[in-house]
């Protein structure tokens, strides 16, 4: 498992808690047991709820916690790459540029430099929301605004801090 022992395992806690809630082994999704008796602890930090179904799918397939976390990381890398590729292909229509740009977005030194902080990995909605914003300002259709708003909300569920950053980028 990449990263240090503490932060990476902490990021596994909300994912595992979400999976356990889906299996009806835990009570509320909001009240994780790792800071008992404090209530609503899932709201204290990035809770990764938007990507928890990816993790849960691997747990339902019978994989253990650590292997499911590794598979979750791989899925995030793939989704980051594919979303950036799709957007860059729509923007520029150049295959080489789209491949290179998506590679930098998904596997670049900025992301790998944060390997200790898995909560910054789920950022596959960022290119899609940026593209939706561009499309909205280009043609002014309300449907585009609705889609980019849903994408922004989903980014908040994937990674709260990245959601805030993306929201402020949209304001500028």
């Amino acid at each position: 498992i990449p990263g240090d022992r503490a932060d990476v395992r902490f990021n596994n806690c909300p994912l595992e808690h979400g999976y356990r809630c889906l299996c009806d082994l835990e009570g509320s999704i909001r009240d994780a047991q790792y800071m008992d008796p404090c209530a609503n602890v899932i709201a204290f930090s990035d809770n990764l709820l938007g990507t928890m179904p990816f993790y849960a799918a691997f747990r339902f397939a019978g994989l253990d916690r650590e292997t499911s976390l590794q598979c979750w990381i791989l899925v995030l890398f793939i989704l980051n790459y594919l979303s950036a590729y799709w957007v860059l292909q729509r923007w520029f229509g150049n295959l080489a540029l789209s491949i290179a740009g998506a590679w930098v977005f998904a596997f670049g030194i900025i992301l790998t430099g944060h390997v200790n902080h898995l909560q910054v990995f789920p950022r596959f909605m960022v290119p899609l929301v940026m593209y939706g914003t561009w499309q909205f300002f280009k043609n002014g259709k309300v449907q585009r605004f609705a889609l980019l708003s849903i994408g922004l909300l989903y980014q908040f569920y994937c990674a709260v801090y990245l959601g805030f950053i993306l929201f402020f980028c949209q304001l500028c």
Side-chain angles (χ1 to χ4, degrees):
I1 296 177
D4 64 11
R5 297 187 66 118
D7 199 46
V8 172
R9 282 168 177 74
F10 170 74
N11 281 298
N12 201 10
C13 285
L15 292 170
E16 182 66 19
H17 174 69
Y19 162 73
R20 292 178 58 80
C21 286
L22 288 176
C23 293
D24 210 23
L25 299 172
E26 299 275 339
S28 168
I29 190 75
R30 294 178 15 211
D31 296 326
Q33 299 298 316
Y34 48 85
M35 290 182 73
D36 203 37
C38 192
N40 199 23
V41 297
I42 205 75
F44 289 173
S45 182
D46 270 323
N47 51 42
L48 307 170
L49 285 175
T51 59
M52 185 270 301
F54 305 134
Y55 174 85
F58 294 113
R59 291 290 280 142
F60 284 127
L63 300 177
D64 62 18
R65 282 187 326 221
E66 289 75 21
T67 307
S68 296
L69 181 65
Q70 291 170 337
C71 292
W72 175 80
I73 293 167
L74 289 175
V75 166
L76 293 180
F77 275 118
I78 292 167
L79 288 174
N80 288 342
Y81 180 84
L82 291 176
S83 70
Y85 173 80
W86 186 85
V87 168
L88 291 171
Q89 191 63 29
R90 298 293 172 285
W91 259 331
F92 301 110
N94 183 315
L95 181 64
L97 182 64
S98 300
I99 290 171
W103 185 267
V104 169
F105 181 78
F107 309 111
I109 195 165
I110 292 173
L111 188 61
T112 56
H114 290 287
V115 75
N116 288 342
H117 310 290
L118 294 182
Q119 65 270 23
V120 300
F121 281 25
R123 57 191 196 136
F124 52 90
M125 290 307 297
V126 172
L128 299 173
V129 170
M130 297 288 234
Y131 181 73
T133 302
W134 178 67
Q135 284 290 315
F136 172 69
F137 285 119
K138 183 177 164 187
N139 58 30
K141 291 185 179 178
V142 176
Q143 296 91 348
R144 297 290 183 184
F145 182 75
L147 285 174
L148 80 91
S149 298
I150 290 169
L152 182 62
L153 178 65
Y154 184 63
Q155 181 60 58
F156 271 101
Y157 278 107
C158 290
V160 173
Y161 301 115
L162 293 178
F164 276 113
I165 293 168
L166 183 59
F167 173 74
F168 289 124
C169 285
Q170 301 307 307
L171 291 179
C172 295

